[in-house]
Amino acid sequence: MKTTESPAPVPAESGAPVTKTDTPPGPPPKEKKEGTVLNAFSHGILVIWAVMVVMPLLWAVMTSFKDDRSIFSSPWSLPDTLHFDNWSRAWTEANMSDYFLNTVLVVGGSLIGTLVLGSMAAYVLARFDFPGNRFIYYLFIGGMSFPIMLALVPLFYVVNNMGLLNTIHGLILVYIAYSLPFTVFFLTAFFRTLPTSVAEAAFVDGASHSRTFFQIMLPMAKPGLISVGIFNFLGQWNQYMLPTVLNTDPDKRVLTQGLVQLAVSQGYKGDWSGLFAGLVMAMLPVLAAYIIFQRQVVQGLTAGALK
């Protein structure tokens, strides 16, 4: 029997074009369709989350311009007229002006002290190797996990024995101690991402450690300082537990204490429109700070990742 063999391929002549066998087209890619579905799903979740966050804020602002009867009769409708007297009444009669001033003094002083002390400690822990470096660093991290509820009673006696109870500067010191662990933890990681060549060049030029820190390294850490400053500002502005225990003087209450006192004193026949006006007053500084510095917050959080 003879077997048929396929003829050997004939070599192409010089100069003759070589044709390629056309392959059948494959199925259309599905990546674009899957990506579109995923984007639509993620955008839908973001829209729902935005509505859940924004709607209570808008409702509180809208309610602050209503009268007491409209708050209960038509809580979801727009105010018929803008009652600006709610804000003036809350500012004067409810002593919101005094609470606001005390809060600004406490949060302003504690924020400056926290950033100065926290940045100095973080710079030393990030840039210098010495015995006990990691131990001190882990002590700060441990302070983040320590519940403040367990420290309220001994903290009260310590502040009282130091003569700092019911004082503005005593509350400032407690706020600084409360905010330092997170500040040191955040800024230590940020200082490690900064280039060391700039500090070495400053040392070669004869700059001292303090001058290198305040004039060179601290300005370079501005995004991180703004980010951790915003977080500390939010936490200290809304702090309620510490001032309630350590600040029992009615003349030195902060905003959170004032709002709770205003809500408790209202009962069922109170000034609800003034209460919502005071709530919006306490909310606006935090919202404004985040809107103004939101770009710096994102830069500070992503600076280490983008290095």
Side-chain angles (χ1 to χ4, degrees):
M1 295 179 62
K2 294 183 180 180
T3 58
T4 58
E5 297 179 358
S6 60
V10 180
E13 298 180 357
S14 60
V18 179
T19 59
K20 296 182 179 179
T21 305
D22 295 334
T23 57
K30 299 182 180 179
E31 296 180 357
K32 185 176 181 181
K33 184 177 180 180
E34 293 177 357
T36 304
V37 174
L38 182 60
N39 289 335
F41 178 76
S42 60
H43 282 77
I45 295 297
L46 290 177
V47 169
I48 296 175
W49 179 259
V51 171
M52 293 174 60
V53 173
V54 175
M55 283 301 297
L57 301 181
L58 294 179
W59 183 78
V61 174
M62 179 183 66
T63 307
S64 66
F65 291 101
K66 292 182 176 182
D67 56 359
D68 292 337
R69 184 180 63 181
S70 300
I71 292 176
F72 291 98
S73 61
S74 55
W76 301 108
S77 63
L78 294 175
D80 49 357
T81 57
L82 298 179
H83 297 273
F84 290 100
D85 57 318
N86 298 338
W87 289 60
S88 61
R89 189 170 62 254
W91 185 259
T92 55
E93 297 180 10
N95 298 324
M96 293 301 294
S97 58
D98 298 334
Y99 302 150
F100 195 90
L101 178 60
N102 294 336
T103 306
V104 169
L105 293 176
V106 172
V107 175
S110 61
L111 192 61
I112 294 175
T114 301
L115 292 180
V116 172
L117 297 177
S119 60
M120 295 172 66
Y123 176 74
V124 172
L125 293 175
R127 293 292 181 176
F128 297 95
D129 292 330
F130 55 89
N133 182 302
R134 304 305 298 174
F135 177 73
I136 297 176
Y137 176 71
Y138 288 127
L139 280 180
F140 280 108
I141 296 180
M144 296 173 54
S145 61
F146 190 80
I148 192 63
M149 294 291 296
L150 297 180
L152 287 178
V153 174
L155 184 62
F156 174 84
Y157 285 105
V158 170
V159 175
N160 188 27
N161 293 333
M162 296 177 64
L164 300 177
L165 197 64
N166 298 328
T167 60
I168 297 295
H169 53 281
L171 203 58
I172 290 176
L173 293 178
V174 174
Y175 276 22
I176 292 175
Y178 174 76
S179 304
L180 268 181
F182 173 74
T183 304
V184 173
F185 169 74
F186 186 93
L187 291 180
T188 300
F190 190 87
F191 275 117
R192 287 173 180 168
T193 63
L194 298 181
T196 59
S197 57
V198 180
E200 293 174 354
F203 291 143
V204 171
D205 292 338
S208 60
H209 290 287
S210 59
R211 184 176 181 181
T212 302
F213 171 72
F214 285 106
Q215 295 186 1
I216 298 177
M217 303 303 294
L218 201 59
M220 293 175 62
K222 182 180 178 181
L225 291 174
I226 293 178
S227 298
V228 75
I230 291 296
F231 289 129
N232 286 328
F233 176 75
L234 296 177
Q236 294 174 2
W237 186 272
N238 298 322
Q239 180 61 241
Y240 174 71
M241 187 68 66
L242 290 176
T244 300
V245 175
L246 304 177
N247 186 25
T248 57
D249 189 353
D251 296 332
K252 296 178 182 178
R253 289 173 177 163
V254 295
L255 272 176
T256 52
Q257 293 176 284
L259 288 175
V260 172
Q261 181 64 27
L262 182 60
V264 171
S265 63
Q266 298 308 310
Y268 293 97
K269 300 179 181 179
D271 186 8
W272 296 100
S273 56
L275 176 62
F276 278 98
L279 175 64
V280 177
M281 287 180 188
M283 179 183 64
L284 286 179
V286 178
L287 187 62
Y290 186 79
I291 292 176
I292 294 173
F293 297 105
Q294 60 177 339
R295 182 175 300 178
Q296 287 81 358
V297 170
V298 175
Q299 290 178 357
L301 293 176
T302 59
L306 297 177
K307 182 176 180 296

